Amino acid sequence: MILSLENISLNFGGIKAVDQVSLDVKEGEIFALIGPNGAGKSTMFNIISRYYTQSNGSIVYRDEYIDKLQPHQLSKIGVARTFQNIELFPNSTVLQNLLVGQNSSKSSNFLQEMLFLPSVRKAEIDRRVIVEKVIDFLNLQPFRDKQISALSYGTRKIVELGRALSMQPNLLLLDEPASGLSAEETTDLAFWIEDIKKIMGITVLMVEHDLNLVGKVADRVGALVEGNLVAVGSLKEIQANRKVVEAYIGT
Amino acid sequence: MRTIFKTSYDPDINLFKDRFHRLCYALLCIVLILFPFFLNEYFIGELTLTLIWAIAGMGLMILVGQSGQVSLGHSAFMATGAYGVVILQSKLGLPFILALPAAGLISALLGVLIALPTTRLHGIYLAILTLAISVLVEDIIVLAEPLTGGVNGMFASDIVIFGINFGRYSNIANLYWLVLFTTMLLVLVYKNILRTPIGRAFASIRDSEVSASAMGVNVVLTKAVAFGVSSFFTGIAGAFFGHFATAFNYETFNVIMSITILLMIVIGGVGSIHGAFFGAIVITLLPVLISFLRDFIFQGSSINLMALPGIETGIFSLILILVILFEPRGIYGAWLKTRTYFELFPLYRKDMFRRQKSYLKTERLR
Amino acid sequence: MEILQLIFSGLSSGCIYGLIALGFVLIYKATEAVNFAQGDMMMIGSLSIISLTSSTALGLSFIVAIPLMLILMAFIGFLIEKVFITHITGESQIAIAILTIAIGFGLRFIAGVIWGYDPQTLESALIGKYYNFGELVISISEVLVIITTLALTLSLYYFFAKTKIGVAMVAVSQNQLAAYYMGIPVKRMQSMTWIIAGLLAGVAGFLYSAKSSVDPITGLLGIKAFAAAVIGGFGSLPGALVGGLIVGLVEPFAARFLPVGYSHLMPYIILVMILIFRPHGIFSQTYSKKV
């Protein structure tokens, strides 16, 4: 088990955004959370990545409670995430954006960096090598030195995926990776997500509306309805579940 | 346009893009070092002042241009540097060579102390806070009379390092070289910040705090470091400023000075080291230019526009307004455009540097 | 009785701070920009009413001079918006703030050229008239300040809560594009805001000149008014007035009970404390960003 949620609840002023959700994500699988708008999927994500604090329950990552951690401490233990609305650094180049992903693994402190000791140069080249691998993997070579503000929406989405990958995580949280992408871009994305699991060995937890994509890549699917996790299983099983169907179509 | 064929990652990390680039800056350094042999004392003094402003500008540039936090209170750090170095020299008897970095560190400490409780503040709120602190520091200097000489201020004795005199009035060329050497060191530090993780951490909190923290950047710590480094630079500038002015009091470091430093980097071009230098040149050149105009153009004529009171602030604010309206990236931005025009001649298009207009959405939802 | 006297003088200077703060908040509410030139606009208002009524200059009566001055101030507000601010709509808050700082410098320069740097005082029969209630001395001008401010704040509050234009201005402040789609003339609303801010500066300027002498540096009073606006949360009109009153009240009490030199630190200390402990003021209007 790489990630276990135990009875997570969160209320926003009387509304139960997430209600007693327990969930296990296995090492090396792709787990997709689906559900109608407002079902609490993004809230779940923000709880896992520590932007929100749950009112109840706890989160276990590789046998350790991570409830007390700050968002920026998650990268050190190997959790990376993307955002639903792209949150790149628009005034930097793609390369610089990806290099930020390597910041958490740095061994130097700012004084050494300001003096640019020889070890800093060596570490900088090591970081570049890792980032270049990500660039090759996602075919981002043409955009390496482009400013984010000059890129199309689809490319930005990919860059954001790349930035998370350049953190070399064990667990990757993807918040609606396919939203706003064209059909071809989504197909590419499906292959990449498969490869992220198979080649890089990264566990993926994703929130996604596009059921085609979910069907292609997800090993297991969980359906959230009004803050409750109503079913977990393969996409087929989920689609056959009456509660899920009711939630989507209405009774 | 030169094409560089890269065979390793080193050229992307090096200080200079290529040999031509390195040659240009080497020439610039040599010219700067040789200046005192050609100029009279007045101009060497003006050059020294320009460099001091440039150091202060770089300090604020790190904060505003790199980490995206605006300060309207950097005169407080100038004051800390100036008073710090003179007090350390006169009261504790430290030699200048130790007192200078110590004064810088005291400024840095003040900067960190201001930054730590206020990391939740953004944009305009931070600007107002630092403005208030700048006013407070002015008053505190008056109140701390035993240490600071109160309203009367302080006198800085000549800088002496290893028996060599660097005094403003006794040996201005030496002072110039000392300031120039310090400036070069600080430019190097600034460049190093830009090419290492700390610079990327600064940029990340400037552009999106939310995703900076997702990338493992400790936002609070990074803001404090940015403030610390920025106020260190400005403190060093202040220390030199005190010795350059030789006599100063609380009024030397008033709110107007804070605002002037900010306006200086805006005119120069926010976000680049060049900008700090361009801004510094404008700010020291302006009075010289005005007195030149006063003496030559309006000589003998009955209308003397240049004799109006406060003409310097008038022209300064006019330049600033024009810069913000027509060239928001400052003089450095204009220089970039011109260079691109010639590099790409005749392919340059007017829209290449076009800004994207965006509609305002409330920033209250942060 | 001494306490009452302090309260009274605090209230009247607090009203001035409150009025300048209202100007800040108004423009912030409508355009999300902070007008650092508001204090200097007030200074222009003060100096022009002094010149309009002074027997050595124009010598107009107040009935003519006040409307004239207000028209002038409204025009200055309109001009600043038309000539400068519209061109950088959509730029960052900071760019606009820096622009208004520059405009403030410019206004100070212009005032210096026209009026010189000597302090000027208003000539009026009202000035220097006092009523004595036992030991309490109340000057007419201070009563005038308090009443005018109260009336002005109430009518502004009504304007933004109830009138169509006021609500439209609030809408523009929250999302320009959405407001534009809903058929609100965004640009005209912005001009309106600056005109009202100019009028406010004019009223504040008149009231200030009734209390004290004025020179081009008076505009720096705006920094104290920032304290008022921040206490009020920078988004609330009544908040700005309350903030102004707090700053105004603190000053005379600090001057009375603290050692010399510490009293005028107080507004800034309050400002710093508020920003550290309640960064969005007492009347908070800020929410956290959604990810």
Side-chain angles (χ1 to χ4, degrees):
Chain A
M1 240 27 91
I2 188 164
L3 181 76
S4 303
L5 307 181
E6 296 166 359
N7 281 322
I8 298 282
S9 302
L10 178 61
N11 302 340
F12 285 127
I15 301 162
K16 284 184 176 164
V18 176
D19 190 12
Q20 302 241 327
V21 170
S22 295
L23 179 70
D24 289 323
V25 180
K26 289 178 200 145
E27 195 89 44
E29 74 171 343
I30 297 177
F31 192 101
L33 272 176
I34 62 165
N37 286 327
K41 305 183 299 292
S42 287
T43 311
M44 286 278 301
F45 250 56
N46 288 335
I47 293 173
I48 297 171
S49 52
R50 310 309 309 137
Y51 285 96
Y52 296 164
T53 304
Q54 69 277 21
S55 37
N56 257 318
S58 47
I59 309 165
V60 182
Y61 172 80
R62 292 200 161 159
D63 304 326
E64 270 176 64
Y65 286 99
I66 58 167
D67 309 85
K68 294 279 180 299
L69 295 188
Q70 298 268 311
H72 68 85
Q73 292 169 316
L74 283 186
S75 66
K76 292 223 167 45
I77 58 170
V79 181
R81 72 165 289 178
T82 65
F83 293 88
Q84 187 177 341
N85 311 312
I86 300 170
E87 289 278 349
L88 288 165
F89 309 121
N91 299 317
S92 306
T93 61
V94 170
L95 181 64
Q96 294 296 330
N97 265 274
L98 297 191
L99 280 170
V100 176
Q102 277 288 308
N103 256 20
S104 55
S105 61
K106 65 174 188 173
S107 52
S108 52
N109 64 32
F110 73 95
L111 287 175
Q112 293 167 326
E113 285 160 17
M114 275 161 42
L115 300 174
F116 210 73
L117 303 179
S119 62
V120 174
R121 176 184 287 267
K122 199 182 158 297
E124 192 67 11
I125 290 175
D126 293 344
R127 281 191 276 274
R128 180 70 188 269
V129 170
I130 291 164
V131 165
E132 285 297 333
K133 277 184 193 149
V134 175
I135 290 179
D136 283 345
F137 176 70
L138 296 173
N139 295 332
L140 284 171
Q141 298 91 340
F143 310 109
R144 190 186 284 123
D145 293 319
K146 287 241 162 63
Q147 292 250 316
I148 298 299
S149 48
L151 300 180
S152 71
Y153 187 87
T155 317
R156 290 186 203 194
K157 239 29 241 193
I158 305 303
V159 174
E160 192 164 309
L161 175 64
R163 195 180 58 176
L165 283 178
S166 61
M167 293 165 74
Q168 297 181 300
N170 303 315
L171 174 63
L172 183 60
L173 308 171
L174 300 175
D175 197 352
E176 303 201 12
S179 72
L181 294 189
S182 68
E184 299 97 88
E185 284 167 332
T186 311
T187 319
D188 287 346
L189 184 69
F191 286 120
W192 280 324
I193 294 178
E194 291 258 274
D195 287 352
I196 287 170
K197 177 182 115 179
K198 281 190 193 134
I199 300 175
M200 302 186 173
I202 297 172
T203 312
V204 178
L205 173 61
M206 60 193 255
V207 161
E208 186 51 64
H209 275 299
D210 186 337
L211 292 186
N212 269 331
L213 177 67
V214 171
K216 264 187 227 160
V217 300
D219 299 314
R220 288 195 304 150
V221 178
L224 269 176
V225 176
E226 290 176 1
N228 292 295
L229 188 67
V230 293
V232 178
S234 71
L235 185 63
K236 282 243 168 60
E237 289 163 21
I238 296 285
Q239 279 170 325
N241 187 306
R242 254 196 63 225
K243 278 191 201 156
V244 179
V245 175
E246 272 172 18
Y248 269 97
I249 304 167
T251 38
Chain B
M1 207 173 163
R2 302 177 304 277
T3 309
I4 305 153
F5 188 71
K6 294 173 191 164
T7 49
S8 78
Y9 295 132
D10 282 312
D12 282 354
I13 301 171
N14 288 342
L15 279 181
F16 304 105
K17 270 194 307 228
D18 52 39
R19 282 160 72 186
F20 176 74
H21 202 215
R22 195 181 312 160
L23 189 72
C24 286
Y25 281 96
L27 276 177
L28 179 68
C29 287
I30 291 169
V31 170
L32 283 174
I33 290 168
L34 293 180
F35 260 140
F37 296 114
F38 306 107
L39 296 173
N40 64 25
E41 290 197 345
Y42 171 74
F43 281 106
I44 303 171
E46 290 298 304
L47 267 177
T48 314
L49 192 60
T50 311
L51 291 176
I52 293 171
W53 280 120
I55 297 175
M58 280 196 290
L60 188 57
M61 194 73 86
I62 289 174
L63 197 67
V64 179
Q66 258 56 55
S67 84
Q69 306 177 80
V70 178
S71 163
L72 280 174
H74 259 47
S75 70
F77 304 122
M78 290 283 273
T80 321
Y83 278 97
V85 79
V86 174
I87 290 171
L88 287 175
Q89 279 176 286
S90 60
K91 302 256 150 93
L92 294 183
L94 278 184
F96 179 80
I97 199 158
L98 292 179
L100 177 72
L105 287 177
I106 294 171
S107 286
L109 190 69
L110 178 69
V112 172
L113 281 180
I114 293 172
L116 278 178
T118 58
T119 43
R120 280 187 296 168
L121 298 181
H122 293 269
I124 221 72
Y125 283 93
L126 186 65
I128 292 172
L129 176 100
T130 47
L131 187 66
I133 284 180
S134 155
V135 177
L136 279 176
V137 166
E138 222 180 294
D139 286 326
I140 290 168
I141 289 172
V142 179
L143 291 174
E145 192 173 341
L147 211 55
T148 60
V151 186
N152 298 322
M154 301 200 93
F155 291 95
S157 52
D158 282 3
I159 301 171
V160 177
I161 300 172
F162 303 130
I164 305 166
N165 188 305
F166 292 85
R168 159 86 156 99
Y169 292 109
S170 44
N171 207 331
I172 183 71
N174 276 356
L175 180 63
Y176 168 75
W177 281 317
L178 179 66
V179 175
L180 180 66
F181 177 68
T182 316
T183 313
M184 285 175 178
L185 278 185
L186 291 175
V187 169
L188 189 67
V189 170
Y190 197 141
K191 280 297 266 187
N192 288 343
I193 289 174
L194 289 185
R195 58 184 172 154
T196 48
I198 187 67
R200 288 192 284 270
F202 286 172
S204 72
I205 59 166
R206 174 190 67 199
D207 287 353
S208 164
E209 283 184 20
V210 172
S211 74
S213 58
M215 293 295 107
V217 174
N218 184 340
V219 175
V220 172
L221 192 70
T222 309
K223 279 189 171 177
V225 170
F227 244 102
V229 175
S230 167
S231 42
F232 178 81
F233 273 57
T234 312
I236 297 281
F240 278 122
F241 192 87
H243 277 284
F244 183 81
T246 62
F248 53 87
N249 68 358
Y250 70 103
E251 272 187 325
T252 317
F253 305 100
N254 58 9
V255 179
I256 304 289
M257 183 192 245
S258 291
I259 296 176
T260 310
I261 303 174
L262 181 65
L263 302 190
M264 182 174 88
I265 65 167
V266 171
I267 290 179
V270 174
S272 63
I273 302 178
H274 294 84
F277 282 83
F278 285 134
I281 291 170
V282 169
I283 210 170
T284 38
L285 217 56
L286 203 62
V288 180
L289 208 67
I290 287 170
S291 71
F292 173 81
L293 288 175
R294 194 177 298 167
D295 291 352
F296 291 91
I297 311 239
F298 293 99
Q299 205 173 33
S301 74
S302 55
I303 326 155
N304 190 343
L305 277 177
M306 292 298 148
L308 287 174
I311 182 75
E312 281 172 27
T313 41
I315 293 182
F316 188 57
S317 53
L318 185 70
I319 294 177
L320 184 70
I321 290 170
L322 293 178
V323 163
I324 294 188
L325 290 184
F326 300 109
E327 191 54 77
R329 293 166 77 184
I331 298 174
Y332 184 62
W335 154 248
L336 277 185
K337 279 182 197 173
T338 324
R339 199 179 65 184
T340 318
Y341 179 86
F342 284 109
E343 277 181 354
L344 296 181
F345 187 82
L347 298 171
Y348 182 83
R349 283 178 301 122
K350 213 180 157 193
D351 286 344
M352 285 179 92
F353 286 89
R354 197 188 166 97
R355 280 175 296 152
Q356 277 191 338
K357 280 253 171 190
S358 61
Y359 278 91
L360 178 140
K361 261 193 177 169
T362 184
E363 289 188 31
R364 257 163 257 169
L365 291 169
R366 245 186 217 281
Chain C
M1 202 40 86
E2 192 199 357
I3 302 285
L4 216 59
Q5 187 73 53
L6 289 177
I7 290 179
F8 194 73
S9 84
L11 281 182
S12 70
S13 52
C15 282
I16 309 261
Y17 299 144
L19 280 178
I20 306 174
L22 272 182
F24 291 138
V25 170
L26 185 72
I27 289 179
Y28 184 75
K29 251 178 117 67
T31 61
E32 201 94 329
V34 173
N35 178 18
F36 278 78
Q38 190 73 20
D40 300 290
M41 284 163 73
M42 182 209 81
M43 173 269 297
I44 297 275
S46 288
L47 286 172
S48 38
I49 191 80
I50 289 171
S51 279
L52 284 171
T53 56
S54 153
S55 52
T56 51
L58 291 169
L60 298 173
S61 84
F62 277 97
I63 300 167
V64 186
I66 291 175
L68 264 182
M69 182 270 287
L70 288 179
I71 290 170
L72 173 75
M73 292 310 296
F75 184 67
I76 290 177
F78 172 77
L79 215 60
I80 290 178
E81 201 271 341
K82 261 282 162 302
V83 178
F84 306 115
I85 308 292
T86 36
H87 292 285
I88 58 166
T89 309
E91 295 281 328
S92 70
Q93 263 187 335
I94 295 303
I96 302 179
I98 291 171
L99 183 64
T100 58
I101 291 175
I103 293 171
F105 270 58
L107 288 177
R108 220 169 301 153
F109 165 65
I110 292 169
V113 171
I114 299 179
W115 287 285
Y117 287 89
D118 297 324
Q120 318 241 341
T121 41
L122 188 68
E123 289 175 23
S124 155
L126 284 176
I127 293 204
K129 270 211 173 158
Y130 297 97
Y131 282 115
N132 293 314
F133 297 96
E135 284 172 48
L136 184 65
V137 182
I138 291 179
S139 79
I140 304 263
S141 51
E142 290 185 332
V143 175
L144 175 80
V145 169
I146 294 173
I147 292 174
T148 317
T149 310
L150 272 179
L152 202 62
T153 314
L154 282 176
S155 47
L156 270 179
Y157 187 72
Y158 173 81
F159 177 74
F160 279 107
K162 295 283 184 304
T163 64
K164 212 172 163 185
I165 299 181
V167 173
M169 281 164 76
V170 175
V172 171
S173 83
Q174 290 182 355
N175 190 337
Q176 282 183 343
L177 195 60
Y180 183 70
Y181 285 156
M182 297 313 291
I184 296 170
V186 171
K187 289 203 162 168
R188 210 183 306 156
M189 288 301 132
Q190 288 203 356
S191 305
M192 275 290 292
T193 313
W194 279 83
I195 289 172
I196 297 177
L199 288 174
L200 272 175
V203 175
F206 167 58
L207 296 179
Y208 185 80
S209 67
K211 273 170 56 80
S212 345
S213 61
V214 188
D215 61 40
I217 312 297
T218 305
L220 289 179
L221 198 78
I223 302 178
K224 277 186 200 167
F226 273 133
V230 165
I231 291 171
F234 239 109
S236 140
L237 294 172
L241 189 65
V242 173
L245 292 180
I246 292 175
V247 174
L249 281 172
V250 162
E251 269 187 323
F253 279 95
R256 170 67 184 78
F257 297 109
L258 287 180
V260 182
Y262 288 88
S263 67
H264 70 287
L265 293 180
M266 284 315 291
Y268 306 106
I269 290 179
I270 295 176
L271 173 60
V272 170
M273 290 297 144
I274 290 266
L275 281 175
I276 291 175
F277 296 109
R278 257 198 88 85
H280 300 298
I282 296 169
F283 300 78
S284 177
Q285 265 232 332
T286 309
Y287 315 94
S288 58
K289 177 174 174 174
K290 198 170 175 247
V291 285

